[in-house]
Amino acid sequence: MAEMVWLVPLIPLLSSVMLMLCSANLPRLLIGLLGVGSVGAAALLTLSIGMDFLADPEPFQLTLWTWMQVSNFSPGIAFYFDGLTLVMMSVITGVGFLIHLFSTEFMEEDASYARYFAYLNMFVAAMLILVMADNLLLLYLGWEGVGVCSYLLVGFWYQNSANGQAARKAFVVTRIGDTAMALGLLLLFTELGTLDIQSMMAVANQQWQVGDTVPLIACLLLLGGAVGKSAQLPLHTWLPDAMAGPTPVSALIHAATMVTAGVYLIARTHDLFLLAPISMMVVALVGLATSLMAAFTALMQSDIKRILAYSTISQIGYMFLALGVGAWAAGIFHLMTHAFFKALLFLGSGAIIHYLHHEHDIFKMGGLRTKMPVTFWSFMIGSAALAALPMTSGFFSKDQILLQAYMMPGAGPWLWLGGLLGALLTAIYSFRLVFVVFFGEAKTEPDGDTGWRMAVPLVMLCGLAMIGGYFIIPVADVFPAVSGEHPAHWVEYVSISVPLIGLLLAYLIFHSRQINMDTLVNSSVGQLLRRFWFGGWGIDWLYDRVFVRPYYLLSGLMKNEPIDAIYGLIVAVNQTFNHWLAEAQTGQMRWYILSMVFGLIVLLTLALQIPLEAL
């Protein structure tokens, strides 16, 4: 089956092209079958290839053809398959299939049904190319592909100008990181002479020593790309606004594609980062800072999708923290478990929005526990996994990250304490969402509960969110082994207890009301913090004043610059001559003959004045 791996991205890509070209002549049933079936076929093919690989876990490389040949630079359309590739492909196609199936009911009444699935299939194909690429140039092709698809899907309902603005913001902000990444690729090729990932890692280990400057610069540039695509500080501001797209798109971006790309990039190039310990510490600090910032912000939001968006930013921060402390396998494990419970939560929120007349404000919901039981249990299980309650999938992956952070020499205990604070806040805002939306008095009556095309993905994701922590991902041969030492038992007990304390606090504050926070919230300090956290720590405000407004001001000043006046004069002269020539077109034969005779006389006069010697 190894020779068939190229079909995995090709099938959804062909489906996307077919839907673009033939959508006008296809019935909705066939559109849904193409959209969902192509990703389902890719998932089954991935499963078959994965089973063969697990029977003989030997990485393999497949080159289809040489992409280009420029001197010694000859990147290929080539794929590399190992345990990390298998995990990423399984998440993309498996979770992607469930999101596609959910979409058939969620988008059923939309006029652009075919366009939606065309974009969605292209998104999956681009992400598959990204994670399967054998060289960084092909990886960059998939990287830019998911960027374009995110733009198309975030602005899917382009009739609303706000959606178009959110799509442009996502595109521009991620381009900043992409530029840094492109510079990193140029630096790596200049220094190492190749962009083939495995060859590049081998040459880097031979040519560079731990702590050298060049690998540090290269890693920081790659980190810039990862920060933009994975929505980490300071390039995270696009992701909450990206909620303008359809909710299943949000699930796909947050769970199976796009934001996990940065985590994958760092994990795939881990040999480079091991040569630059400073870059690893930067990765850990960026991840921790992002995790805490987003957790505090999520605690203040009232839009159900924005809460989950900031939750994703926070959880990706946990993955960055794992990569920064060398817990490579734990970071990828959390990527997988996060895909299960975050897709579950986003699809659950989509069901709520769909049946509550497109309502997003959690404080206008309430009492949905009995009216939407499938969605209620989806949120309960998803929130428990997000909060890392014991025996859920999120518990196993997050616990590994925290323990490894504690064991890191030097800053380990501080990183561990920061991670614990993030875990506490995660449990609080997760169950704040559950208690406000599903308990208490009903403020909006739903039209019903989920149909089977929504219910089946939710139920399957519930199962994965519960048992996913027991999976063993085949990445032991991909990453270096971590220290076999374990911290004292009290460290693990604290890590387990913190999410439970967060759940208890959420219950006492938002459900039983035994803890009254009104006095604190209504105080001057409380109001100030509330506005600060609600606004995402003022980062959008800062960007608006430091970059956006000066840019518009400069554009206004340059609009009437002197150079433009010169070009304006040329246009005016041409317009004047054009006007004169147009006036000469009178339609009168006598005028035309007179003009021709006059021109002939002028021509002959000039000719007779030229000396014969000059001819």
Side-chain angles (χ1 to χ4, degrees), residues 448-475:
D449 201 0
T450 53
W452 73 268
R453 285 173 294 171
M454 285 186 175
V456 168
L458 290 175
V459 171
M460 293 184 70
L461 287 168
C462 281
L464 291 171
M466 289 301 297
I467 68 171
Y470 296 96
F471 295 168
I472 299 175
I473 57 175
V475 295

Coordinates of all heavy atoms in Angstrom, one line a residue, residues 448-475:
G448 N -35.2 22.2 17.6 CA -35.2 20.8 17.8 C -33.8 20.3 18.2 O -33.0 21.1 18.6
D449 N -33.5 19.0 18.0 CA -32.2 18.5 18.3 C -31.6 18.1 17.0 O -32.2 18.1 15.9 CB -32.2 17.4 19.3 CG -30.9 17.2 20.0 OD1 -29.9 17.9 19.7 OD2 -30.8 16.3 20.9
T450 N -30.3 17.6 17.1 CA -29.6 17.3 15.9 C -30.2 16.1 15.1 O -30.7 15.2 15.7 CB -28.1 16.9 16.3 OG1 -28.2 15.8 17.3 CG2 -27.4 18.0 16.9
G451 N -30.1 16.2 13.8 CA -30.5 15.1 12.9 C -29.3 14.1 12.9 O -28.2 14.3 13.5
W452 N -29.5 13.0 12.2 CA -28.5 11.9 12.3 C -27.1 12.3 11.7 O -26.1 11.9 12.2 CB -29.0 10.6 11.7 CG -29.1 10.6 10.2 CD1 -30.1 11.0 9.4 CD2 -28.0 10.3 9.3 NE1 -29.8 10.9 8.0 CE2 -28.5 10.5 7.9 CE3 -26.7 9.8 9.4 CZ2 -27.7 10.2 6.8 CZ3 -25.9 9.6 8.3 CH2 -26.4 9.8 7.0
R453 N -27.2 13.2 10.7 CA -25.9 13.6 10.1 C -25.1 14.5 11.0 O -23.9 14.6 10.8 CB -26.2 14.3 8.8 CG -26.6 13.3 7.6 CD -27.0 14.1 6.4 NE -28.2 14.8 6.6 CZ -28.7 15.7 5.7 NH1 -28.0 16.0 4.6 NH2 -29.8 16.3 6.0
M454 N -25.8 15.1 11.9 CA -25.1 15.9 13.0 C -24.8 15.0 14.2 O -23.7 15.1 14.8 CB -25.9 17.1 13.4 CG -25.9 18.2 12.5 SD -26.8 19.6 13.2 CE -26.6 20.9 12.0
A455 N -25.7 14.1 14.5 CA -25.5 13.3 15.7 C -24.4 12.3 15.6 O -23.7 12.0 16.6 CB -26.9 12.6 16.0
V456 N -24.3 11.6 14.4 CA -23.3 10.6 14.3 C -21.9 11.1 14.5 O -21.1 10.5 15.3 CB -23.4 9.9 12.9 CG1 -22.2 9.0 12.6 CG2 -24.7 9.1 12.9
P457 N -21.5 12.2 13.9 CA -20.1 12.8 14.2 C -20.0 13.1 15.6 O -18.9 12.9 16.2 CB -20.0 14.0 13.3 CG -21.0 13.7 12.1 CD -22.1 13.0 12.8
L458 N -21.0 13.7 16.2 CA -20.9 14.1 17.7 C -20.7 12.9 18.5 O -19.8 12.9 19.4 CB -22.1 14.9 18.1 CG -22.3 16.3 17.5 CD1 -23.7 16.8 17.9 CD2 -21.2 17.2 17.9
V459 N -21.4 11.8 18.3 CA -21.3 10.6 19.1 C -19.9 10.0 18.9 O -19.3 9.6 19.9 CB -22.4 9.6 18.8 CG1 -22.2 8.3 19.4 CG2 -23.8 10.2 19.2
M460 N -19.5 9.9 17.7 CA -18.1 9.3 17.5 C -17.0 10.1 18.1 O -16.1 9.6 18.7 CB -17.9 9.2 16.0 CG -18.8 8.2 15.3 SD -18.4 7.9 13.5 CE -16.9 7.1 13.6
L461 N -17.2 11.4 18.0 CA -16.2 12.3 18.7 C -16.2 12.2 20.2 O -15.2 12.4 20.9 CB -16.3 13.7 18.2 CG -15.9 14.0 16.7 CD1 -16.3 15.4 16.3 CD2 -14.4 13.9 16.6
C462 N -17.4 12.0 20.7 CA -17.6 11.8 22.2 C -16.7 10.6 22.6 O -16.0 10.6 23.6 CB -19.0 11.6 22.5 SG -20.0 13.1 22.7
G463 N -16.8 9.5 21.8 CA -16.1 8.3 22.1 C -14.6 8.5 22.0 O -13.8 8.1 22.9
L464 N -14.1 9.2 21.0 CA -12.7 9.5 20.8 C -12.2 10.4 21.9 O -11.1 10.3 22.4 CB -12.5 10.2 19.5 CG -12.6 9.2 18.3 CD1 -12.6 10.0 17.0 CD2 -11.6 8.1 18.3
A465 N -13.0 11.4 22.4 CA -12.6 12.3 23.4 C -12.5 11.6 24.8 O -11.7 12.0 25.6 CB -13.7 13.5 23.6
M466 N -13.2 10.5 24.9 CA -13.1 9.7 26.2 C -12.0 8.7 26.1 O -11.2 8.6 27.1 CB -14.4 9.0 26.4 CG -15.6 9.9 26.8 SD -15.3 10.8 28.3 CE -15.1 9.5 29.5
I467 N -11.8 8.0 25.0 CA -10.8 6.9 25.0 C -9.5 7.3 24.2 O -8.6 6.5 24.2 CB -11.4 5.6 24.4 CG1 -11.7 5.8 22.9 CG2 -12.7 5.2 25.1 CD1 -12.1 4.6 22.1
G468 N -9.5 8.4 23.6 CA -8.3 8.8 22.8 C -7.1 8.8 23.6 O -6.0 8.7 23.1
G469 N -7.1 9.1 24.9 CA -5.9 9.1 25.7 C -5.3 7.8 25.9 O -4.1 7.7 26.3
Y470 N -6.0 6.7 25.6 CA -5.4 5.4 25.7 C -4.7 4.9 24.4 O -4.1 3.9 24.4 CB -6.5 4.4 26.0 CG -7.1 4.6 27.4 CD1 -8.3 5.3 27.5 CD2 -6.6 4.1 28.6 CE1 -8.9 5.6 28.7 CE2 -7.2 4.4 29.8 CZ -8.3 5.1 29.8 OH -8.9 5.4 31.1
F471 N -4.8 5.8 23.4 CA -4.1 5.4 22.1 C -2.6 5.5 22.3 O -2.1 6.4 23.1 CB -4.5 6.3 21.0 CG -6.0 6.2 20.6 CD1 -6.6 7.1 19.7 CD2 -6.7 5.1 21.0 CE1 -7.9 7.0 19.3 CE2 -8.1 5.0 20.7 CZ -8.6 5.9 19.8
I472 N -1.8 4.7 21.6 CA -0.4 4.8 21.6 C 0.1 5.3 20.2 O -0.1 4.6 19.2 CB 0.3 3.5 21.9 CG1 -0.1 3.1 23.3 CG2 1.8 3.6 21.8 CD1 0.4 1.7 23.7
I473 N 0.6 6.5 20.1 CA 1.0 7.0 18.8 C 2.4 6.6 18.5 O 3.3 6.5 19.3 CB 0.9 8.6 18.8 CG1 1.8 9.2 19.8 CG2 -0.6 9.0 18.9 CD1 1.8 10.7 19.8
P474 N 2.6 6.2 17.2 CA 3.9 5.6 16.8 C 5.0 6.6 16.5 O 5.5 6.7 15.3 CB 3.5 4.8 15.6 CG 2.4 5.6 14.9 CD 1.6 6.2 16.1
V475 N 5.4 7.4 17.5 CA 6.4 8.4 17.2 C 7.6 8.2 18.0 O 8.5 9.0 18.1 CB 5.8 9.8 17.5 CG1 4.7 10.2 16.6 CG2 5.4 9.9 19.0

